[in-house]
Amino acid sequence: MTGTDRAVLMLRLAAPLQSWGGPSRYNLRETRPEPTKSGVLGLLAAAEGRTREASLTDLVGLQLGVRVDQPGTLLRDYHTSSDYRGLPLLSAKTNAKGQQTRTTPPKYTSVTRRFYLQDAVFVAALRGPQALLKSLEQAVRNPVFPLSLGRRSCPPTGPVSLGLHADNRLEDALKGVPWQASSHRRRQTQGATVSLEATVEDPAGDQSTVDVPDTYDLKTGTRFGRRTVRHLWIPVPTGRSTQQDHPATDTDTTRQPDHDPFALLGW
């Protein structure tokens, strides 16, 4: 069902690097192949200027759908960290006052493996109360805190908001947004349409995912709840005509004259 008091906010999530962490921690920091609800809500909370201790009750109720316009490739980063003062790193142990103690024997460098998605592009759709989404859309265009795609080191490329749209099913909303892949990717694709993988939140879905945050408070830690989703494929126009799908022949009137790039160099 749709209603005039509800709407859909569309976001374009693109960057040289993205990382949408799951339950991984400590020395191994993985990324999921597409944006998580925790990551997207974190971006919205940052845009509004919410503190980590602020309530997420209104955001958690938003329905999320994600379309994979460009899956990107996986990057592994060999990451090291140390105390700039030259002190030993903190350990997991605490003293009687609840303060973390230094490592014994002293350890000065920590090594972690961190994974990122390179050159990925996603379209996210958030469905919920119109007033809330209108406020969030304005915040994304004028964020209080810097926006990031999963990690602080991953700022988005270009405008994030694709605007506020009339209420619709998530899959229909995702169908209505033009393909957001890079021009290089679009040139490589033949045909008038392309089928893009998508995941939409659906109570009747056949799979559950654990990525619904209860808080971002560092003191209490985040506990993740479950949501039910389903996967589907969404056809989207590529913008290429049928004539463009076939190589030029001797009878083609649209064939371009031969071009010699080296002529500009006098070769």
Side-chain angles (χ1 to χ4, degrees):
M1 295 180 62
T2 61
T4 57
D5 62 335
R6 298 177 68 80
V8 179
L9 173 60
M10 308 300 300
L11 304 176
R12 181 179 187 270
L13 306 177
L17 293 176
Q18 305 182 38
S19 187
W20 306 98
S24 59
R25 60 182 64 181
Y26 304 120
N27 296 334
L28 178 62
R29 307 293 177 85
E30 298 178 342
T31 178
R32 295 188 181 179
E34 63 183 41
T36 60
K37 188 165 187 176
S38 176
V40 174
L41 297 189
L43 180 147
L44 296 176
E48 284 198 315
R50 301 192 190 196
T51 64
R52 285 186 170 273
E53 299 77 20
S55 173
L56 300 175
T57 303
D58 55 340
L59 299 182
V60 169
L62 298 174
Q63 288 182 292
L64 174 66
V66 174
R67 193 181 76 187
V68 183
D69 285 40
Q70 188 167 299
T73 56
L74 191 64
L75 170 71
R76 187 183 71 170
D77 175 36
Y78 177 83
H79 186 93
T80 63
S81 61
S82 59
D83 191 305
Y84 73 95
R85 298 165 296 183
L87 298 175
L89 298 176
L90 294 173
S91 70
K93 299 179 181 179
T94 58
N95 58 24
K97 296 181 180 180
Q99 300 170 329
Q100 281 184 276
T101 59
R102 300 285 173 177
T103 51
T104 305
K107 180 180 179 182
Y108 294 92
T109 302
S110 174
V111 178
T112 62
R113 289 180 295 158
R114 304 189 180 196
F115 290 85
Y116 299 85
L117 297 176
Q118 300 180 102
D119 299 322
V121 181
F122 304 98
V123 171
L126 292 141
R127 182 171 182 256
Q130 185 179 52
L132 173 60
L133 291 176
K134 183 177 180 180
S135 175
L136 291 172
E137 200 275 337
Q138 293 174 348
V140 169
R141 291 185 181 274
N142 302 279
V144 176
F145 297 136
L147 304 182
S148 58
L149 305 187
R151 290 193 186 138
R152 291 183 183 179
S153 60
C154 303
T157 300
V160 173
S161 175
L162 293 175
L164 196 64
H165 297 242
D167 186 28
N168 209 339
R169 296 190 307 166
L170 288 175
E171 58 189 272
D172 292 330
L174 291 172
K175 288 179 183 178
V177 175
W179 195 20
Q180 299 295 311
S182 65
S183 57
H184 174 71
R185 178 64 180 270
R186 294 198 300 269
R187 285 195 300 269
Q188 290 181 325
T189 303
Q190 302 295 324
T193 61
V194 62
S195 292
L196 304 178
E197 185 179 2
T199 303
V200 297
E201 203 165 326
D202 185 349
D206 56 0
Q207 186 174 343
S208 65
T209 182
V210 184
D211 65 352
V212 183
D214 62 342
T215 180
Y216 295 119
D217 192 339
L218 294 177
K219 295 180 180 179
T220 61
T222 302
R223 291 176 297 181
F224 295 98
R226 294 179 179 272
R227 64 189 177 105
T228 307
V229 300
R230 62 185 173 90
H231 301 283
L232 65 155
W233 293 89
I234 294 180
V236 176
T238 61
R240 299 176 65 93
S241 65
T242 305
Q243 187 177 17
Q244 290 175 312
D245 297 337
H246 301 284
T249 63
D250 293 338
T251 58
D252 286 340
T253 59
T254 59
R255 184 175 182 177
Q256 298 296 317
D258 291 337
H259 171 63
D260 181 9
F262 294 107
L264 298 173
L265 303 176
W267 292 5

